[in-house]
Amino acid sequence: MEIIYFDELDSTQVYLCEKIKNNEINDNVVIVANKQNNGIGSRENSWQSKEGNLHFSFCVKIDDLPSDLPLASASIYFAFLMKELLNHLDSKVWLKWPNDFYLDDKKIGGLMSSKINEFLVVGIGINLIYAPFDAEILDIKIDIKEIITNYISYIQKKQSWKDIFSKYMLEFEKSRKFFIHNKGKILSLEEALLYKDGSILLDNKRIYSLR
């Protein structure tokens, strides 16, 4: 998978999505920006960041995904791969449902995914040196190029969704003391029922990845 580095972009996710829509990208690729001016966060909010934080997006052809991975599970799947990589490097980061990176009770980053044409497009942002108010930075020092190269290696192993979900089921218990925003409501995850595709039953509704 080719990795392309930029000094500055408004958003790696927007850049990659537009290139795919315009048929300018035909294969799996990674887009990395040292500085991102207008990143996208949860619920279409902007993601505040600064130079030196981790911002990258990548696209994978649907046919290249693990055969048992439902698209509804993709955000959890790719977020959990990053979490496992960082844990291997002695970080205590954990994954709050469905795709936010946390240290204890503070958010340090997040992931978003969408399907465009024959690609799944995934964007990841993690605070390495700067965090906005009420957020935190990663608890270990990492080299951005090295972490992206290793992460792509994790992706290319094509771990099954079944194996990832069996580990995520335990991780999900940490989310129960938190809340989510859904269609204008703030909902507690305390009584949420987790399904095998990573969706949850909450407020008598089936809720899938929020972005």
Side-chain angles (χ1 to χ4, degrees):
M1 187 182 295
E2 183 182 9
I3 304 174
I4 303 173
Y5 291 90
F6 290 87
D7 287 333
E8 184 175 338
L9 286 175
D10 282 342
S11 164
T12 60
Q13 189 78 356
V14 171
Y15 176 89
L16 185 53
C17 289
E18 288 179 349
K19 291 293 184 181
I20 294 172
K21 289 175 182 176
N22 293 331
N23 296 314
E24 296 178 54
I25 288 180
N26 301 302
D27 207 350
N28 302 340
V29 68
V30 185
I31 303 296
V32 188
N34 186 43
K35 183 179 180 182
Q36 185 170 255
N37 299 317
N38 191 25
I40 302 173
S42 58
R43 305 187 305 280
E44 301 304 317
N45 293 326
S46 63
W47 174 256
Q48 298 180 47
S49 188
K50 287 190 176 181
E51 185 175 352
N53 282 351
L54 178 65
H55 340 86
F56 73 101
S57 297
F58 62 92
C59 61
V60 180
K61 288 183 177 179
I62 303 298
D63 290 344
D64 291 336
L65 295 173
S67 59
D68 70 334
L69 177 61
L71 285 182
S73 311
S75 289
I76 294 174
Y77 178 87
F78 286 106
F80 200 84
L81 288 182
M82 176 58 78
K83 190 222 67 137
E84 284 201 316
L85 172 58
L86 295 174
N87 288 166
H88 181 71
L89 298 173
D90 293 328
S91 170
K92 293 180 172 59
V93 64
W94 64 278
L95 185 62
K96 175 183 169 289
W97 190 90
N99 41 23
D100 285 328
F101 302 109
Y102 266 65
L103 283 174
D104 296 324
D105 61 348
K106 298 289 186 180
K107 184 175 177 178
I108 66 164
L111 177 149
M112 62 185 303
S113 66
S114 58
K115 181 182 179 298
I116 300 180
N117 298 341
E118 75 270 31
F119 288 100
L120 180 74
V121 184
V122 179
I124 295 178
I126 297 178
N127 301 327
L128 302 183
I129 63 171
Y130 164 83
F133 175 74
D134 204 32
E136 190 53 87
I137 64 172
L138 185 65
D139 55 341
I140 58 173
K141 301 295 183 183
I142 62 171
D143 179 86
I144 289 177
K145 289 187 176 182
E146 183 177 342
I147 205 73
I148 290 174
T149 299
N150 290 339
Y151 181 64
I152 297 308
S153 296
Y154 270 47
I155 292 174
Q156 292 173 336
K157 290 177 182 177
K158 290 189 178 182
Q159 293 186 60
S160 70
W161 166 246
K162 181 180 178 181
D163 288 346
I164 293 295
F165 182 73
S166 67
K167 292 178 281 190
Y168 180 68
M169 286 175 63
L170 300 175
E171 185 94 345
F172 179 76
E173 295 304 310
K174 297 180 181 180
S175 292
R176 293 197 181 277
K177 65 178 182 178
F178 290 86
F179 296 82
I180 62 167
H181 293 80
N182 185 59
K183 296 183 178 179
K185 292 184 177 181
I186 299 177
L187 304 173
S188 169
L189 290 169
E190 184 176 3
E191 301 298 329
L193 175 65
L194 180 67
Y195 287 94
K196 289 184 178 180
D197 64 356
S199 65
I200 58 174
L201 181 65
L202 193 60
D203 195 29
N204 295 315
K205 297 180 181 66
R206 191 84 170 258
I207 303 175
Y208 291 85
S209 174
L210 302 179
R211 62 177 186 270

